[in-house]
Amino acid sequence: MSNESNNTSQDQVEDVETPEVVADDASLIDELTQANFRIEELEQLLAESETALAERKDVEVRAAAETQNIRTRAAKDVEQARKFALEKFANELLPVIDNMERALQGTNPEDEATKAIYEGVDLTMKGFLTSVEKFGVTQVNPQGQAFNPEHHQAIGMQPSAEYPANTVMMVMQKGYLLNDRLLRPAMVMVSQGGASVDVEA
């Protein structure tokens, strides 16, 4: 009988412990589930933060690049303004140089009557050209050179035995550059090459 009562009391003890174990397991599962939810939330927040950070970095890189572009453009504009500020003034000086050249062509350095005038105008023109060269103005005198449409303007073409085809055989008006930018093209006559055509009577 004592065995039966022992077995009965043991069964009762086991029955009493089982609900607690189940309750502990359920509580543990519930805690794990909540922890998993929290981990997922934190992972999602981390992913959102990383995305926001990447977007912010991209915006900063673009802003830095734009700032550098603006600086570069501003520096280039300042340099261009500095180099070509005299363009209008230089264009006003070109007719003065042309008139001095015409004065030289109208006088003869060998003739005693015009020799002094020739020398005076020649010296003035040389000094004037030296002065404007200091500010970047250079003369384009392409006599005997290959025709360059970027710096020369052809008035016409003529056959010539002396000059090869597409060569400047005569300069009617010299051209000018300001810091390698064309102020005025040289007005030229271009050779077609070959001999001049003889017309029989």
Side-chain angles (χ1 to χ4, degrees), residues 80-94 135 137 178-179 181-184:
Q80 291 289 329
R82 186 189 66 73
K83 284 175 78 174
F84 302 111
L86 295 176
E87 185 170 2
K88 189 173 181 181
F89 179 67
N91 272 318
E92 294 296 323
L93 295 178
L94 299 185
F135 295 94
V137 178
L178 174 61
N179 293 314
R181 180 193 282 181
L182 187 67
L183 278 176
R184 182 180 80 187

Side-chain angles (χ1 to χ4, degrees), residues 27-38:
S27 174
L28 186 62
I29 289 172
D30 188 41
E31 285 179 18
L32 286 174
T33 303
Q34 288 179 0
N36 282 338
F37 283 141
R38 184 67 182 141

Side-chain angles (χ1 to χ4, degrees), residues 109-177:
E110 305 300 322
D111 185 0
E112 288 299 323
T114 60
K115 184 176 182 179
I117 295 173
Y118 181 90
E119 289 175 355
V121 172
D122 187 45
L123 283 172
T124 303
M125 191 175 81
K126 286 177 181 174
F128 193 73
L129 287 174
T130 302
S131 296
V132 295
E133 280 176 8
K134 291 177 184 175
F135 295 94
V137 178
T138 53
Q139 196 174 66
V140 177
N141 185 11
Q143 179 74 38
Q145 298 175 8
F147 177 72
N148 178 359
E150 292 182 5
H151 291 166
H152 311 151
Q153 182 174 346
I155 302 298
M157 295 185 77
Q158 289 182 353
S160 171
E162 186 180 350
Y163 294 97
N166 293 322
T167 301
V168 175
M169 57 187 288
M170 189 186 311
V171 179
M172 272 71 104
Q173 187 180 55
K174 293 174 185 170
Y176 289 89
L177 302 170

Side-chain angles (χ1 to χ4, degrees), residues 40-78:
E40 286 177 7
E41 286 177 15
L42 292 173
E43 286 176 346
Q44 186 177 357
L45 286 172
L46 179 62
E48 290 172 1
S49 298
E50 286 176 346
T51 302
L53 181 62
E55 288 174 359
R56 182 66 179 244
K57 282 184 180 177
D58 185 54
V59 167
E60 288 176 4
V61 167
R62 288 175 188 268
E66 184 63 26
T67 302
Q68 185 59 38
N69 288 342
I70 289 170
R71 283 187 187 138
T72 303
R73 263 180 278 161
K76 186 176 179 182
D77 289 346
V78 167

